[in-house]
Amino acid sequence: MNSSILIIGLTMALSIFLGLRARKGQEMKLEQWAVAERNFGSLIMFVLMAGEMFSTFVFLGASGAAYRMGGPTIYIFCALTYIIPFWILPPIWRYAKKHNLLTQSDFFAKKYDSKPLGLLVAVIGVISIIPYIVLQLKGFQIIVSEASYGMIPPTIAVWVGMIIVTVFVYVSGIHGSAWTAVLKDILMLVVILFLGTYLPFHYYGGVQPMFEALDQAKPGFLLLPDKGLSISWYVSICLTIALGQYMWPHCFGASLSSKSETALRKNTAVLPLYQIILVFILFIGFTAVLQVPNLEGAASDLALFQISKQVLPPWFIGVIGSAGLLAALVPCSLLVLTAATILSKNIYKAVKPETSDKKLAQLTKIFVPILSLVSLYFTFFGGNTMLTLLTMAYSFVLQLFPPLAFSLMKKNPITKAGASVGMVVGVALVAYFTITNQTMASLFPSAPHLIQDLDIGVVAITINTFIMLLVSVVTSRVLVQKPLINDINS
């Protein structure tokens, strides 16, 4: 048997063991299953939040982006992504604990005293989560197939991976994700730090000689261009990522499992240390540019494996594959768990409010295998359109940020009508721009590049905020006038 397959198999077995072992000593009520009864300390929160943020994109996509894009890849070092949650997550956690809220939809429904608004947020969340799960599974296919030298068929690999996720999420809930995230973080640290150090020294004699060779062979490759992926694009994409990261339902939901506000603040303060790992991932991609040339399009995401296979033994390729498969499975487990909780608690119960908590907990677990099968269907038959849907989904969840930010103010100026209309307009704009392949450049061909290069998500959230404020002003006046009219009539 190929040594790489043996290591991958052992890693899968260990992940199942950890996922199931995490249940021991826990009474799996819905709150325990979904948010661990808000008992995770700083260390577990660190690995859990890192587990969902550093997924197959970081493992394959970031090195592929460095290979393909060059300098503009620095957008993944967005410090703002960690500054915003430092301030917004503690008050969210505090409010959620006070009112026993388990999901993002619960939060919106309670803050705006509107179950229809909570239902709207739930629908946006589930629609956004499915393509994200599919992307993880597609990454899982690539990783296992490459790491096994093609001996494990992608179809079998993704079935096995999804069964593992389904089993430990069904049995252990968020505890299974947290325990498996510990193993994932250890493997990812070892693999990425080693590859990011070894490969530049092996091929060029160091990091500086690598950059010098790359700059000489491809002048300007390491810089932001004057148009296209320019400074204005960089600023707008950083805003999109920073404002949208914790609007993903699984990131929002995982933050509610924290033991305290202090644990959340510590986590957001320490999590940027993971950015150091991203530097080494970029080194891998930059090293591959001249050593593994002519990888076009989606093939550029294979840069990490292509260059590693040239110089490393099969057993270490198995270790790389093991880290990669966990980078897919851990976020996937959190996504499935979150979607199942939203479907039962925020959509099913909205239709049937008389549903008991016991039945709701049972339904949530039933939704886990159903969501897994739906995700597998789109993985096999969704084609590349799922990548387009993921881009659209990121901008979808971004539209939730304005009403959430305003809801944290002492006196929220936004009405539930304003929040709803603003989100619907923002989501509709994103869907239109994505489906029709519109960009700011195509919409405003004569505008300066400062405008043309803006990310469309930022444009949508700006219009969303304007509409939300306008509708809120109008509806708040109507609400004020109604009591006055009633007093006059009486």
Side-chain angles (χ1 to χ4, degrees):
M1 179 186 290
N2 190 310
S3 57
S4 64
I5 296 178
L6 178 62
I7 291 172
I8 290 170
L10 289 172
T11 304
M12 286 186 175
L14 183 56
S15 66
I16 293 175
F17 170 76
L18 290 174
L20 297 179
R21 176 68 175 74
R23 176 192 170 92
K24 189 175 180 180
Q26 308 291 345
E27 184 182 355
M28 283 297 162
K29 296 178 181 178
L30 184 57
E31 187 177 11
Q32 182 69 260
W33 187 84
V35 294
E37 289 191 337
R38 307 176 214 279
N39 276 327
F40 284 164
S42 300
L43 180 60
I44 294 297
M45 283 303 300
F46 176 80
V47 296
L48 186 64
M49 300 300 275
E52 61 193 20
M53 292 177 66
F54 295 91
S55 60
T56 49
F57 167 74
V58 170
F59 200 77
L60 290 179
S63 57
Y67 180 98
R68 184 173 59 252
M69 296 166 57
T73 316
I74 62 168
Y75 79 88
I76 65 176
F77 300 104
C78 183
L80 195 59
T81 305
Y82 306 100
I83 295 171
I84 289 175
F86 183 87
W87 296 106
I88 69 169
L89 290 186
I92 289 171
W93 180 90
R94 186 166 57 246
Y95 187 84
K97 183 180 181 181
K98 180 181 178 181
H99 298 282
N100 196 32
L101 309 178
L102 302 183
T103 68
Q104 184 183 55
S105 308
D106 289 343
F107 183 87
F108 275 86
K110 186 68 178 177
K111 270 288 186 179
Y112 285 92
D113 190 24
S114 172
K115 289 183 178 179
L117 178 60
L119 181 60
L120 173 63
V121 172
V123 170
I124 293 172
V126 173
I127 290 173
S128 303
I129 280 174
I130 294 297
Y132 203 167
I133 296 174
V134 171
L135 186 70
Q136 302 307 314
L137 294 179
K138 284 183 176 291
F140 184 86
Q141 283 181 309
I142 294 169
I143 289 165
V144 175
S145 179
E146 286 291 321
S148 67
Y149 294 83
M151 295 180 69
I152 300 178
T155 301
I156 293 176
V158 80
W159 269 104
V160 172
M162 206 61 201
I163 289 170
I164 292 172
V165 167
T166 303
V167 168
F168 76 66
V169 169
Y170 186 92
V171 173
S172 303
I174 198 168
H175 291 275
S177 301
W179 279 49
T180 313
V182 175
L183 176 62
K184 165 197 161 288
D185 281 12
I186 293 170
L187 276 177
M188 280 192 71
L189 279 170
V190 170
V191 166
I192 292 170
L193 290 176
F194 173 77
L195 291 179
T197 304
Y198 174 75
L199 292 175
F201 275 87
H202 175 81
Y203 284 103
Y204 299 100
V207 173
Q208 182 176 333
M210 174 196 70
F211 280 119
E212 289 172 349
L214 193 54
D215 186 55
Q216 186 176 1
K218 302 185 75 170
F221 182 72
L222 298 171
L223 303 175
L224 288 171
D226 294 331
K227 59 182 181 179
L229 303 179
S230 63
I231 289 290
S232 65
W233 167 84
Y234 171 76
V235 171
S236 63
I237 197 70
C238 282
L239 282 173
T240 299
I241 293 169
L243 299 181
Q245 180 63 53
Y246 284 90
M247 294 305 98
W248 281 102
H250 63 294
C251 291
F252 191 102
S255 68
L256 302 184
S257 63
S258 177
K259 194 174 187 177
S260 65
E261 297 176 48
T262 303
L264 272 176
R265 289 195 188 278
K266 284 181 180 178
N267 179 68
T268 52
V270 175
L271 200 57
L273 288 174
Y274 245 100
Q275 299 285 68
I276 298 171
I277 299 174
L278 297 181
V279 175
F280 289 86
I281 292 177
L282 297 195
F283 288 170
I284 298 167
F286 289 145
T287 303
V289 172
L290 300 181
Q291 302 303 322
V292 192
N294 304 320
L295 294 178
E296 301 291 340
S300 61
D301 290 335
L302 300 177
L304 183 149
F305 276 105
Q306 293 294 324
I307 193 168
S308 298
K309 284 181 177 180
Q310 289 183 359
V311 293
L312 296 170
W315 70 266
F316 195 81
I317 300 301
V319 175
I320 296 173
S322 297
L325 70 88
L326 290 175
L329 294 185
V330 173
C332 197
S333 67
L334 286 162
L335 289 161
V336 170
L337 182 148
T338 303
T341 307
I342 292 172
L343 280 171
S344 64
K345 197 171 188 302
N346 301 115
I347 296 180
Y348 184 89
K349 193 167 184 178
V351 178
K352 293 192 173 183
E354 72 281 0
T355 307
S356 66
D357 290 343
K358 185 177 180 181
K359 186 176 181 181
L360 206 62
Q362 293 170 343
L363 278 170
T364 306
K365 289 190 173 185
I366 290 170
F367 279 127
V368 170
I370 292 173
L371 280 164
S372 298
L373 290 172
V374 170
S375 300
L376 284 170
Y377 173 82
F378 282 112
T379 301
F380 295 134
F381 304 109
N384 292 326
T385 56
M386 293 308 294
L387 296 177
T388 304
L389 287 174
L390 180 67
T391 304
M392 185 165 63
Y394 210 111
S395 293
F396 272 4
V397 296
L398 176 64
Q399 306 311 311
L400 305 180
F401 184 82
L404 180 131
F406 279 109
S407 77
L408 300 178
M409 297 173 63
K410 287 185 178 180
K411 189 174 181 181
N412 183 5
I414 305 302
T415 63
K416 53 191 172 186
S420 300
V421 174
M423 284 191 290
V424 169
V425 169
V427 166
L429 284 171
V430 168
Y432 171 76
F433 291 145
T434 307
I435 292 170
T436 59
N437 292 318
Q438 294 285 351
T439 63
M440 291 298 288
S442 61
L443 290 170
F444 303 101
S446 58
H449 290 295
L450 180 69
I451 303 298
Q452 289 187 349
D453 297 340
L454 288 173
D455 179 71
I456 210 72
V458 170
V459 177
I461 195 176
T462 302
I463 297 173
N464 166 359
T465 305
F466 175 77
I467 296 293
M468 181 180 66
L469 289 167
L470 181 63
V471 173
S472 295
V473 169
V474 173
T475 53
S476 61
R477 286 179 179 175
V478 171
L479 291 172
V480 169
Q481 289 172 357
K482 276 187 177 180
L484 292 174
I485 293 171
N486 292 334
D487 289 342
I488 292 170
N489 291 335
S490 60

